[in-house]
Amino acid sequence: APRTRCPGSSRTFDFFPFRERTACVYTALGCTCTASFTMELALSGSLLRSFFKSVGCLAKIGAEVLVEASAGTGLTLKSMNSARSAFCSVTFKQSSFEVFAVPNGTVQTAVLAKHLAAALRTQRLQRVVLSQAAGESSTLRVRLECSRSGLTKHYGLHCVTDAEHLKATVDASLMPISLILKPKEFSRLLSHFQSAQTDVTVSFTPEQTNHPNASGKDFSGGFGDRRHEKENSRNLRLSSFANPNAPPGQHLQTSIGLDAAEDAVLRYTHEKDASETAGAGPSTSTSTDVTVNLKDLRAMVQFCESVDLDVAIYADSAGAPMLVRPCAEFRGAGHGRG
């Protein structure tokens, strides 16, 4: 193998091609680089697991990972799918890093998601350092330190120069519909949909019902007419798209109803319809249907499960963005309802 020089030092090491020609790796023992950097970030400890899981989730969303380091804010990793219908963003605060040096204030770059995920696929890591040397804006360097074995790995990832850095701002407090579920149970529900299915529709129905017994004024001791109880109690529904023009053998639709009182649902609020029908008797409004990409929704639910957090979903109306993010609100109470 040819010899190569480690940036910032006079030592040379064997060079090995890594996966593709756009990325390379060289391994060094006890190498200390002294080159000047426009960005140098060091992360260690328990946050490494969250960092690895975040990169894995971003790799499932899009082919590129946008890297943005800002002094005073932290490190933000972003990804967007090819259809530009899903956007994922993960931010690590500056206080989470051992070293956070961005002399110019902000550094923006992008790398291929599969290269970054492959570079982090190493066991028993103690420290990860992301850096970009001055004058090398086309390369993002990743240094992995394994203190137990004394091994240090260096990866040079080719940067995507024509990547578009976008920022999606969605305020969850302005969305009238909120739903918090346990990730394991929610992932089990999504597993009923076929792998070839691209989209899934989430239907949110207000908790009020039109049945007179629901108001509590016509209670018949539990032996009254309950024919409408099961239908009205299904406040949530997941449905796949079925093409009405498809042949009979291909006309298959999956629909799953979920009661807001079930154990999988930690909290469900539908403030929009409740406020619109206040003082007008029982609610007669229809459900709010939001259609999203199934693969991207699965990726976010799997990420929440991997970091041991609940799934929080916020929605407004059909056609408006649906926000999905991790939630730790119920984690301190033994996963109980509250």
Side-chain angles (χ1 to χ4, degrees):
R3 305 285 286 180
T4 187
R5 184 182 300 274
C6 180
S9 69
S10 59
R11 301 182 64 180
T12 58
F13 307 94
D14 293 335
F15 172 81
F16 302 92
F18 172 68
R19 292 295 179 101
E20 298 183 12
R21 298 181 62 87
T22 54
C24 61
V25 58
Y26 51 89
T27 303
L29 292 175
C31 173
T32 303
C33 297
T34 59
S36 59
F37 295 96
T38 59
M39 177 185 69
E40 186 173 15
L41 314 176
L43 187 65
S44 63
S46 59
L47 286 177
L48 284 178
R49 179 173 176 268
S50 299
F51 181 74
F52 297 157
K53 298 299 183 180
S54 300
V55 173
C57 177
L58 294 168
K60 296 177 182 178
I61 300 294
E64 301 172 355
V65 174
L66 308 177
V67 181
E68 180 177 345
S70 300
T73 302
L75 174 66
T76 301
L77 304 177
K78 299 174 287 186
S79 182
M80 178 179 291
N81 63 355
S82 58
R84 303 175 71 90
S85 62
F87 179 84
C88 184
S89 177
V90 182
T91 300
F92 293 86
K93 295 182 179 180
Q94 182 173 340
S95 57
S96 304
F97 294 84
E98 288 184 356
V99 178
F100 193 96
V102 185
N104 298 330
T106 301
V107 173
Q108 291 182 336
T109 186
V111 295
L112 294 179
K114 60 181 180 180
H115 290 166
L116 182 58
L120 299 175
R121 198 174 296 128
T122 302
Q123 300 294 329
R124 298 181 180 179
L125 286 179
Q126 275 72 43
R127 197 165 184 256
V128 174
V129 180
L130 303 177
S131 61
Q132 194 171 60
E136 293 186 2
S137 59
S138 61
T139 303
L140 176 67
R141 302 195 178 277
V142 181
R143 186 169 80 244
L144 310 179
E145 299 179 359
C146 307
S147 59
R148 296 181 181 179
S149 59
L151 181 67
T152 301
K153 294 184 178 181
H154 294 260
Y155 293 81
L157 307 182
H158 175 72
C159 295
V160 182
T161 57
D162 58 347
E164 183 179 3
H165 287 265
L166 302 176
K167 184 177 181 180
T169 303
V170 181
D171 191 354
S173 62
L174 301 178
M175 295 184 170
I177 303 174
S178 65
L179 172 65
I180 301 179
L181 307 104
K182 298 179 181 179
K184 188 174 182 180
E185 284 75 3
F186 191 30
S187 180
R188 186 181 297 111
L189 293 176
L190 295 178
S191 65
H192 293 284
F193 294 91
Q194 293 181 329
S195 58
Q197 188 69 39
T198 57
D199 299 325
V200 62
T201 300
V202 186
S203 301
F204 305 91
T205 306
E207 292 188 278
Q208 295 94 337
T209 63
N210 297 327
H211 190 254
N213 288 345
S215 61
K217 299 179 180 179
D218 188 21
F219 180 66
S220 55
F223 298 98
D225 186 4
R226 294 174 176 249
R227 290 176 296 175
H228 303 283
E229 180 177 341
K230 183 177 181 180
E231 179 181 358
N232 293 334
S233 64
R234 299 294 180 178
N235 309 108
L236 306 170
R237 184 167 295 277
L238 302 174
S239 305
S240 62
F241 174 76
N243 186 3
N245 300 323
Q250 300 179 7
H251 193 281
L252 176 63
Q253 183 181 26
T254 303
S255 182
I256 302 175
L258 186 64
D259 189 352
E262 293 186 15
D263 187 61
V265 180
L266 298 175
R267 187 178 65 196
Y268 174 61
T269 57
H270 200 303
E271 299 176 357
K272 181 177 181 180
D273 293 271
S275 61
E276 290 178 354
T277 58
S283 174
T284 58
S285 59
T286 59
S287 63
T288 301
D289 301 335
V290 182
T291 302
V292 296
N293 184 274
L294 178 59
K295 180 181 72 71
D296 299 330
L297 180 60
R298 279 175 172 167
M300 192 60 197
V301 174
Q302 291 172 1
F303 169 72
C304 294
E305 185 177 0
S306 64
V307 296
D308 196 25
L309 293 174
D310 299 317
V311 182
I313 299 177
Y314 302 88
D316 187 357
S317 59
M322 187 178 78
L323 177 63
V324 183
R325 69 182 186 186
C327 176
E329 179 179 352
F330 295 90
R331 286 293 166 168
H335 240 233
R337 298 182 63 87

